[in-house]
Amino acid sequence: MAEPPQHPHLPFPPAEKLNQHFILGEIRDYLKDFAELFPHVDLDILFDLVTAVRRKNVNPETQMRQFLLAFKNTSTFQEAFDQLDADTKKKVESFRDGTSAGDLAGIRGFLLPSSPPTQHHFRLLDRIHSLFRHPQESGKQPSQVESKTGHSDDKTPLVYEDADDKKQITTYANTPFENWGENVKNTPRYTFVPTTVLGLQNVIKYAIANDFRVRCSGYRHSWSTTFSADNEILVSLLDLKEVTTFPDPLAIGSNVTPNGNELKSIDILKKPAFLSSGKDIVRVGVAVTNEAFRRWAIHNKVVALPMDVILVEVTVGGVNGPICHGAGRRNKTISDQVVAIEYVDANGVLQTVTDPKQLKAAAGCFGLLGIVTHISFELEKMSYAVLQPKKVPITLAIPPLQLSDVPVALYKNWSEKDLQNAKVDFENRAANDYYSEWFWYTYQSTSWVNTWNTTDDSKGAREYPSGPEVFLQWLQGWVGGWFSQTFFFQHIPGHWQAQFLAVAGMAVLPPMLFDEGPVEIKTYLPDGLHFFRGIQNFRVRDMEFEIPIPALPSDPSKPDLSIVQRAWWDVIKLVYREAQDGRSPMRLTMELRITGGSDMHMAPQYGNDHGTASIEILTVPNAVPDEWEAFKQKVADIWMSYEVAGKKLNARPHWAKEWYALRLFELCILKLVGHSFDMANHVDRRETLKVDGKPMQKYLKETAYKDQIPLFKAQLKEIGKKQGWTLKDIQKRFSNELWDDIIYS
């Protein structure tokens, strides 16, 4: 895919000029010259939008409304709009025509619709199912392993999920699978959508009898090849009805099973005997979504998970499996909060792991132990997040190690006192705040700083975001999703793309107005963790690394945060070096979260006693692919080159992000050759990021996790010894090509 054609009189500007003020001015100067190319886009409205932002006359409602009005006659907008449900369509139309977000969502709130990427995938399942729907056969499918398997008229196996063998598991045959990021595609032989533990057991027994491997998926928010494979079995924790039905907190109260789905239950267990702390725990089905869990916690106002990912359109199982994290140096990974794992083993038997040593493997095992059904977490008493978000000049948000690191386009002559105060402020936030993260939109002169602490005082706490704020956040994600697919977006220069995305993204991040004073928001802890709704509407490309924070040489009891400053500014410098050659591969954001270490054997944060810099780069899916792949490799090379006292830091990629660079276009897999893709190569070649010339998966196995993998396998072996299976058994049943290579070879 070549770079889209640019305006004939618009050469790529010098890197020294690339900041938001210059780019917005350039857009104003040249935008209307594109009129013939974009007859369905109202360029006058876009001109007004850009002019207002450049003059710092910003109102998020006005900006979002201008995007809707400018593109309402494009086919891309119409297609996206047609996919919305009737109620959401009405709200979008009313908002576009001038109704405020407060009037639209202020009374009844705004219920997040599931994202278009999710609906597309599950509607495909539903459509295929409807084509082959058949009357329930009277033949019985016994649940024993040795029993003969029956088949329905559409050649899907009859596998039941009730003791009376009357309720058949929803099953699809040869249905194409695609992950949310659209970079993993395969066709499992069967896709099962069970709702009971017995159903899962019967799926495993069917797999045993017919020699299939079994892997799980939820909302499919992973870029790595961790899913099922061609001609194997995929267990989907969700179906179309579940992803389009908004959870009612009254329907997911403690000790209930929503709609008979055992995998979506939430139960409080009072001081279980196996837990030495004497605390209550919460037992959560793996199909429970973060949104359902958030609403449950807010409704009960008693306990909360101390950390979580921002995303709400994701399952608890999907967050725990790849060892995801939240933010804050005192907080380890989500898997570190697990006190019990219930799973169906390689024999189809329901098992439980509660031993703390064994949980170091079982609680973060990528589905290799078996199919997990429920996860029990040790929660904390409900507390309240005191958010104080800021938009800070980039040089003061995370100060550079030296001013020469700041690109000319972002440079401002700050005093030594300004820089020293900024350094102290950054170090305090990074080292001590309960939650800490920083965003930088490409080419912007400001950074969004979101670090905060908690309090036990509930006075003044409110649900956040409010209904109107949720609507605006959802709208921003939805607009970004279709806007990046428009003919207009795909035919403007890359630095224009980055600027338009920054305008939309920064608009809905508080403080929302340029002249707005300090903002303070007190809210429930789960709302503070899930402060941004609707981000799932906007597909992105994403690579993240976990960089160990070393000890401060002058005081080994403290973290040396200079490594964080270095990692942050090294990427900014690289962005501008790319710009010198006319490239804008990173068109969205760089995001940084300070996190703790981890006790999970296979966590990228394992052994990081002073904390972790969880840092990621993001772009849009239709950015020039070869530029993005090359940029990712350069960033990985930089982040993995850091040394302390002559020894390399063990920087490792996030398991669920783009470290295994499989890139599919339709039916062919493109092979990265230097800086270009060989379109003629249609063989099944899987290229990956390389480290010192070594493929990433080999590096992870032989270097990054060479001590952890034996510990991980030893604990799995110990669990199997007690529960009646071997490592060969679980490899045969629950592994795939990726994990065969990294764990078992």
Side-chain angles (χ1 to χ4, degrees):
M1 178 179 175
E3 178 72 50
Q6 296 187 14
H7 188 285
H9 305 299
L10 184 62
F12 197 92
E16 292 79 10
K17 293 185 176 182
L18 285 176
N19 57 41
Q20 75 266 29
H21 187 76
F22 173 84
I23 299 171
L24 289 168
E26 186 183 68
I27 294 172
R28 286 179 73 254
D29 292 342
Y30 290 96
L31 181 63
K32 293 185 180 180
D33 293 345
F34 284 92
E36 289 187 9
L37 189 59
F38 311 123
H40 301 295
V41 180
D42 193 324
L43 298 182
D44 289 332
I45 293 177
L46 281 186
F47 181 90
D48 291 343
L49 185 157
V50 168
T51 300
V53 174
R54 194 166 189 258
R55 292 175 178 171
K56 300 186 178 181
N57 180 18
V58 172
N59 179 294
E61 292 201 20
T62 301
Q63 287 179 235
M64 290 297 102
R65 188 172 290 116
Q66 286 173 313
F67 273 110
L68 295 174
L69 289 168
F71 291 92
K72 68 178 182 179
N73 294 322
T74 64
S75 60
T76 307
F77 169 80
Q78 287 298 331
E79 289 171 7
F81 183 76
D82 289 343
Q83 293 177 19
L84 299 175
D85 62 82
D87 183 63
T88 307
K89 282 182 180 178
K90 274 187 183 178
K91 285 184 168 66
V92 170
E93 285 183 321
S94 296
F95 177 80
R96 182 193 65 196
D97 295 339
T99 305
S100 71
D103 289 341
L104 280 173
I107 299 175
R108 294 180 58 242
F110 178 71
L111 304 184
L112 279 174
S114 56
S115 69
T118 294
Q119 291 193 38
H120 170 76
H121 176 75
F122 288 101
R123 277 178 178 148
L124 177 62
L125 286 179
D126 198 56
R127 194 176 305 125
I128 292 174
H129 186 61
S130 66
L131 290 174
F132 297 102
R133 189 164 290 146
H134 58 278
Q136 180 65 53
E137 292 192 356
S138 58
K140 190 175 181 182
Q141 166 66 42
S143 60
Q144 297 303 311
V145 176
E146 61 271 22
S147 300
K148 184 178 179 180
T149 301
H151 283 80
S152 64
D153 294 338
D154 64 350
K155 305 303 180 184
T156 58
L158 289 174
V159 180
Y160 296 96
E161 56 180 346
D162 63 327
D164 297 327
D165 289 354
K166 292 181 179 179
K167 183 183 178 184
Q168 182 189 348
I169 298 175
T170 300
T171 309
Y172 310 92
N174 299 312
T175 300
F177 170 89
E178 180 180 75
N179 69 328
W180 180 83
E182 298 185 302
N183 69 313
V184 177
K185 300 179 183 180
N186 55 58
T187 304
R189 182 68 185 90
Y190 299 115
T191 299
F192 291 93
V193 190
T195 62
T196 69
V197 173
L198 179 60
L200 274 174
Q201 291 180 271
N202 288 341
V203 168
I204 301 307
K205 291 174 181 179
Y206 174 81
I208 294 169
N210 295 275
D211 199 24
F212 284 112
R213 282 179 153 184
V214 186
R215 300 287 296 168
C216 264
S217 75
Y219 278 106
R220 305 159 294 116
H221 281 291
S222 178
W223 287 262
S224 61
T225 55
T226 191
F227 301 102
S228 187
D230 290 338
N231 297 314
E232 301 291 358
I233 285 177
L234 174 69
V235 170
S236 178
L237 299 176
L238 303 167
D239 63 16
L240 179 64
K241 181 179 179 181
E242 288 176 313
V243 301
T244 56
T245 301
F246 199 78
D248 180 346
L250 298 179
I252 53 172
S254 184
N255 304 313
V256 297
T257 305
N259 301 318
N261 190 333
E262 296 174 0
L263 306 179
K264 293 178 74 70
S265 63
I266 304 176
D267 308 306
I268 291 287
L269 304 183
K270 297 289 186 180
K271 298 179 176 57
F274 64 80
L275 193 64
S276 60
S277 68
K279 292 184 179 180
D280 296 343
I281 64 173
V282 63
R283 176 178 178 266
V284 187
V286 289
V288 170
T289 67
N290 267 9
E291 177 61 11
F293 196 40
R294 181 194 70 82
R295 286 166 61 86
W296 172 87
I298 300 299
H299 174 70
N300 287 280
K301 298 180 177 63
V302 177
V303 291
L305 194 64
M307 82 294 292
D308 209 338
V309 299
I310 300 171
L311 197 65
V312 294
E313 191 182 81
V314 65
T315 61
V316 169
V319 168
N320 185 74
I323 319 178
C324 294
H325 61 82
R329 198 167 72 96
R330 73 188 72 181
N331 295 316
K332 296 181 180 181
T333 72
I334 295 163
S335 299
D336 284 276
Q337 291 296 119
V338 174
V339 294
I341 286 284
E342 298 169 50
Y343 73 102
V344 178
D345 72 10
N347 299 313
V349 177
L350 181 63
Q351 305 278 13
T352 302
V353 178
T354 59
D355 183 283
K357 282 184 62 178
Q358 295 175 355
L359 283 170
K360 291 179 180 180
C365 67
F366 320 109
L368 297 176
L369 180 67
I371 304 300
V372 176
T373 66
H374 292 83
I375 304 170
S376 293
F377 296 99
E378 184 171 356
L379 302 186
E380 302 294 336
K381 176 186 173 185
M382 176 65 76
S383 60
Y384 303 88
V386 183
L387 279 61
Q388 297 175 319
K390 300 179 180 181
K391 291 173 181 174
V392 180
I394 184 67
T395 309
L396 303 183
I398 300 179
L401 294 176
Q402 53 270 329
L403 272 177
S404 59
D405 287 343
V406 183
V408 172
L410 303 179
Y411 187 86
K412 189 172 180 180
N413 193 23
W414 298 103
S415 69
E416 283 296 325
K417 183 178 180 181
D418 290 330
L419 294 171
Q420 183 57 35
N421 289 342
K423 182 175 183 289
V424 171
D425 181 66
F426 160 70
E427 290 179 342
N428 180 58
R429 290 173 183 273
N432 302 318
D433 279 5
Y434 183 91
Y435 185 98
S436 51
E437 69 182 345
W438 292 258
F439 286 15
W440 179 62
Y441 280 85
T442 303
Y443 303 132
Q444 304 309 290
S445 301
T446 56
S447 171
W448 189 63
V449 180
N450 182 36
T451 78
W452 44 266
N453 288 295
T454 58
T455 178
D456 292 330
D457 180 11
S458 64
K459 186 177 180 180
R462 67 176 178 91
E463 288 199 39
Y464 177 79
S466 63
E469 290 164 331
V470 170
F471 175 74
L472 284 175
Q473 290 182 355
W474 171 85
L475 190 65
Q476 183 270 335
W478 180 71
V479 167
W482 59 254
F483 174 60
S484 64
Q485 302 301 315
T486 60
F487 184 75
F488 171 86
F489 186 87
Q490 294 176 7
H491 286 79
I492 59 176
H495 61 290
W496 285 26
Q497 292 182 5
Q499 185 58 54
F500 273 115
L501 294 172
V503 167
M506 290 289 274
V508 295
L509 293 174
M512 296 182 183
L513 305 177
F514 274 104
D515 58 354
E516 191 172 359
V519 172
E520 182 170 294
I521 303 162
K522 181 186 282 190
T523 188
Y524 301 96
L525 178 59
D527 281 349
L529 299 174
H530 303 298
F531 64 88
F532 201 103
R533 315 284 165 76
I535 53 176
Q536 64 273 4
N537 291 293
F538 188 12
R539 280 191 175 109
V540 298
R541 303 290 303 276
D542 187 349
M543 182 183 79
E544 176 179 335
F545 270 73
E546 317 302 325
I547 303 173
I549 298 174
L552 191 67
S554 60
D555 185 351
S557 68
K558 295 180 179 179
D560 183 356
L561 293 165
S562 66
I563 198 70
V564 182
Q565 296 167 271
R566 184 177 174 187
W568 177 264
W569 282 97
D570 278 350
V571 171
I572 295 175
K573 289 189 293 182
L574 180 61
V575 165
Y576 279 89
R577 283 201 297 272
E578 293 288 305
Q580 289 174 353
D581 295 324
R583 293 190 294 269
S584 297
M586 190 183 92
R587 299 179 186 178
L588 199 51
T589 57
M590 172 168 59
E591 300 179 10
L592 165 72
R593 293 168 186 88
I594 302 298
T595 65
S598 176
D599 296 323
M600 299 296 104
H601 289 315
M602 294 301 293
Q605 298 87 349
Y606 182 90
N608 297 353
D609 296 336
H610 291 281
T612 306
S614 299
I615 186 166
E616 58 188 317
I617 54 172
L618 299 92
T619 196
V620 288
N622 54 14
V624 183
D626 54 346
E627 288 186 10
W628 172 245
E629 296 296 340
F631 182 76
K632 282 195 311 183
Q633 185 67 62
K634 292 173 185 177
V635 172
D637 290 344
I638 291 170
W639 285 343
M640 301 185 75
S641 70
Y642 298 151
E643 296 182 354
V644 172
K647 183 179 179 182
K648 274 192 176 183
L649 293 176
N650 195 3
R652 295 177 277 206
H654 189 308
W655 286 111
K657 304 292 177 69
E658 284 188 59
W659 62 271
Y660 196 102
L662 176 66
R663 183 63 180 164
L664 294 99
F665 290 92
E666 297 179 353
L667 297 178
C668 64
I669 297 178
L670 304 183
K671 174 186 172 187
L672 186 63
V673 182
H675 286 235
S676 62
F677 282 96
D678 178 9
M679 292 292 295
N681 185 357
H682 289 192
V683 297
D684 187 6
R685 290 289 300 274
R686 296 186 176 186
E687 300 297 329
T688 183
L689 287 174
K690 296 181 185 294
V691 183
D692 297 329
K694 182 186 295 186
M696 178 62 82
Q697 66 269 31
K698 191 172 184 182
Y699 170 79
L700 294 177
K701 177 173 57 178
E702 296 179 354
T703 304
Y705 290 92
K706 71 180 180 64
D707 296 326
Q708 275 62 65
I709 290 174
L711 293 174
F712 177 71
K713 292 172 71 175
Q715 286 302 326
L716 292 183
K717 186 176 181 180
E718 184 65 24
I719 296 169
K721 185 177 180 181
K722 293 182 178 180
Q723 298 186 347
W725 48 261
T726 66
L727 289 181
K728 285 186 177 180
D729 293 334
I730 59 173
Q731 180 186 3
K732 182 177 181 180
R733 195 62 52 221
F734 301 118
S735 186
N736 67 6
E737 182 180 347
L738 171 70
W739 299 114
D740 282 348
D741 185 11
I742 292 177
I743 301 297
Y744 293 110
S745 65

